[in-house]
């Protein structure tokens, strides 16, 4: 029995040291040099492929024993932010390529690249000075309760601005960074309100179709009547300014809000907007005298989305609507959306 116990411990230790060795057996390095992205991978493997999230990709070439490398031309690389991953394989005894798991332990398995001119390591609070509350709001307009995540800083008053998010699930994460920026006196306090979309009907709730679909109308009424009233009546004598922010389909809902309800928001912040501004349903007309400001961005590697955003920004500017547009060196990617939002608030809410 004693020998069996020792044998068991021996196998556990062998497994542990083997696992540790496996973890340090593979590594990569990625850097910019003379406008090119140099990607290196080290490990006892037979095939390595680099992939920007929904963007450029390519196989790395074996340079020497266990070293693979390739170069990729990316315009304005020093200003880039994007997610990336590797496809890694090794031949087994039958000469079949077997995948090897090489993922980042964070960010859903993707690594993050930031160019020399970009900051990506924003400080994150481990303990908030403010508070995030996630709760469910029932509505006569929706067929199900809907979650709201509300971040309030430690100190706020009736003039504190509110930023409404159409993808509310990100507010809990963003709050950790925003709270730190407020504590460090880098930005003025503001409130974040995240409105969760339906898991199954996100596209229909955010994008108006040819028939002004019922799901869009219900969600619109829920947002403008239930959410705004619930949040703003919960702040004594609130008279601050409203902002609205979203990305992808959530950005489409924001654009619709700014154009069709122009007196409701001070500024519309949208990234990689998909839907509505494509004008597939009908041309969008600007018939109001006043519109909010618009801050719009899209990635150059999400090609059709980027073209549609550029085209619509030009149309807005031709109608004398105040519009800021920023090109992201990325694709349809959450990582630059998050960093670009932090840069936006550091500019707009500078202390």
């Amino acid at each position: 029995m004693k020998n069996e116990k020792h044998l068991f411990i021996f196998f556990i230790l062998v497994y542990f040291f083997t696992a540790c060795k496996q973890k340090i057996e593979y590594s990569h390095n990625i850097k910019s040099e003379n406008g090119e992205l140099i990607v290196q991978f080290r490990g006892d493997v037979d095939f390595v492929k680099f992939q920007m999230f929904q963007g450029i990709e390519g196989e790395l070439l074996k340079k020497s024993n266990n070293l693979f490398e390739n170069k990729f031309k990316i315009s304005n690389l020093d200003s880039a932010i994007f997610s990336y991953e590797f496809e890694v394989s090794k031949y087994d005894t039958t000469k079949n390529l077997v995948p090897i798991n090489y993922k980042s332990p964070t960010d859903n398995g993707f690594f993050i690249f930031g160019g020399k001119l970009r900051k990506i390591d924003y400080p994150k609070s481990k303990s908030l000075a403010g508070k995030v509350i996630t709760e469910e709001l029932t509505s006569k307009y929706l067929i199900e309760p809907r979650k709201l995540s509300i971040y309030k800083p430690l100190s706020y008053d009736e003039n504190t601005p509110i930023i409404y998010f159409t993808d509310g699930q990100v507010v809990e994460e963003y709050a950790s960074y925003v709270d730190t920026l407020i504590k460090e006196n880098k930005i003025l306090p503001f409130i974040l309100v995240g409105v969760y979309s339906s898991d199954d009907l996100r596209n229909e709730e955010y994008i108006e179709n040819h028939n002004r679909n019922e799901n869009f109308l219900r969600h619109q009424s829920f947002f403008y009547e239930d959410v705004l009233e619930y949040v703003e009546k919960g702040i004594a004598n609130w008279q601050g300014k409203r902002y609205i922010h979203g990305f992808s389909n959530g950005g489409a809902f924001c654009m619709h809000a700014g154009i069709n309800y122009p007196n409701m928001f001070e500024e519309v912040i949208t990234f990689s907007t998909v839907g509505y501004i494509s004008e597939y349903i009908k041309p969008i007309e600007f018939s109001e005298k006043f519109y909010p400001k618009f801050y719009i961005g899209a990635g150059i590697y999400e090609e059709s989305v980027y073209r549609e955003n550029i085209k619509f920004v030009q149309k807005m500017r031709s109608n004398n609507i105040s519009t800021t547009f920023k090109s992201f060196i990325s694709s349809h990617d959450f990582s630059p959306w998050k960093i670009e939002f932090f840069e936006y608030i550091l500019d707009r809410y500078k202390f």
Side-chain angles (χ1 to χ4, degrees), residues 29 49-50 74 101 108 143 148 158 255 281 297-298 340:
N29 182 47
K49 182 180 179 182
F50 166 81
I74 297 177
N101 183 30
N108 298 317
I143 60 176
L148 297 181
E158 68 275 9
M255 294 297 293
I281 299 171
E340 291 291 349

Side-chain angles (χ1 to χ4, degrees), residues 199-216:
D199 291 335
D200 301 320
L201 301 173
R202 182 174 185 273
N203 181 278
E204 292 184 28
E205 286 190 345
Y206 283 167
I207 302 176
E208 180 185 25
N209 66 17
H210 291 279
N211 302 316
R212 284 179 60 80
N213 59 299
E214 194 65 28
N215 290 317
F216 176 82

